[in-house]
Amino acid sequence: MGEVSEGYEGRVLLQNAVGAIQDGRWDDLTHLLQSNVPQLQAARLRLEQKALERHASRAAAAKGDAVGQEAADESKVRGKTIVKMAAAVAAWADRFPWFALLAVQLLVLASFAPAFLYSGFIMDDTVGIQRNPNVVGEEFSLAELLRRDFWGLPMHGSGWTNKSFRPLTTLTFRWNYLLHGLDSCGFHVT
C-alpha cells in the first residue's frame, strides 16, 4: 500500500511541476522542488535500485546458468551497497554543503594535476598559440584580433582559413603569454 501511495504522490508532484512549467511559474516550481527534496531523493534511489536489479536479472537470464545467478546475486548486493554509499554521500553533502563543494573541487584539481606537471604544448597548441601573431606578436592590435581567426590566419582575402573566430579565447592566450611567455604550465593553470 505504501508503494501505491508513493506512486500517487509522485504523480501529483509531477503534475504540479509540469503545470508550473507550462504556466511559467518558476518560483512555484523552485519552491515545489525544494520542499520535496527528501521524497525526490528517495524516489531517485528507488529507481536506481530497480534499474540495477533489472540489469542484474537480465544478465543472469542471458547466462542462464548457476554461475550467472550467482553473479546476478553478487551484482544486486554490490548495487545495493553502491546505492547506500551514494545515499550516505548525498546526506553528508546536504548536511555540509561547503565541505562537499570543497571535496568536489579537490577531486577536480587532483584529476587535472598531471596537466600542471606537463611542460610543452600538444596537438594544435603550436598553431593556435606559438605561431599566432595575435598571441605572440610584438604589438597588439584589436583590429588585427578581429581580422584573424583562432589560428592567426586572415579571415578574408587569399589563403585558406576555417573561419574559426574566437577573439576572446585568443585574447586570453595573449594575456597568458604576457604573464609567463610560452611556458605551457601557465596556460594549463588558467
Side-chain angles (χ1 to χ4, degrees):
M1 183 67 181
E3 198 169 308
V4 172
S5 175
E6 289 170 355
Y8 175 75
E9 290 172 4
R11 280 191 291 281
V12 169
L13 177 62
L14 183 59
Q15 287 171 346
N16 290 339
V18 168
I21 291 170
Q22 289 174 339
D23 296 342
R25 294 177 290 135
W26 305 113
D27 290 336
D28 292 347
L29 178 64
T30 302
H31 175 70
L32 179 70
L33 294 176
Q34 288 176 343
S35 63
N36 289 288
V37 166
Q39 295 90 332
L40 292 170
Q41 286 179 337
R44 179 182 52 82
L45 291 174
R46 279 194 311 272
L47 288 172
E48 288 174 356
Q49 183 62 39
K50 286 180 183 178
L52 287 170
E53 289 170 1
R54 240 183 277 128
H55 177 71
S57 65
R58 284 183 187 153
K63 287 202 172 198
D65 59 344
V67 174
Q69 186 59 39
E70 289 174 13
D73 292 342
E74 184 179 317
S75 177
K76 280 184 182 181
V77 170
R78 196 174 321 123
K80 287 180 182 178
T81 304
I82 291 171
V83 169
K84 286 180 183 177
M85 286 176 22
V89 169
W92 176 80
D94 284 342
R95 282 194 312 264
F96 306 104
W98 289 107
F99 287 122
L101 182 63
L102 179 65
V104 168
Q105 292 300 317
L106 288 174
L107 287 173
V108 168
L109 187 63
S111 68
F112 197 67
F116 298 127
L117 304 175
Y118 177 78
S119 81
F121 292 108
I122 59 170
M123 298 178 65
D124 57 5
D125 293 339
T126 301
V127 178
I129 296 173
Q130 291 178 316
R131 295 186 189 161
N132 189 335
N134 284 324
V135 175
V136 297
E138 291 290 324
E139 295 288 323
F140 176 75
S141 165
L142 182 61
E144 276 301 304
L145 178 68
L146 298 176
R147 280 190 202 113
R148 295 181 176 272
D149 68 3
F150 176 73
W151 310 106
L153 302 171
M155 290 279 285
H156 306 288
S158 65
W160 177 88
T161 178
N162 65 0
K163 306 243 187 297
S164 177
F165 186 63
R166 303 179 217 164
L168 186 58
T169 302
T170 304
L171 186 60
T172 62
F173 287 164
R174 173 74 178 184
W175 294 337
N176 273 315
Y177 173 72
L178 293 174
L179 285 173
H180 27 71
L182 290 174
D183 179 14
S184 65
C185 292
F187 285 87
H188 293 233
V189 169
T190 57

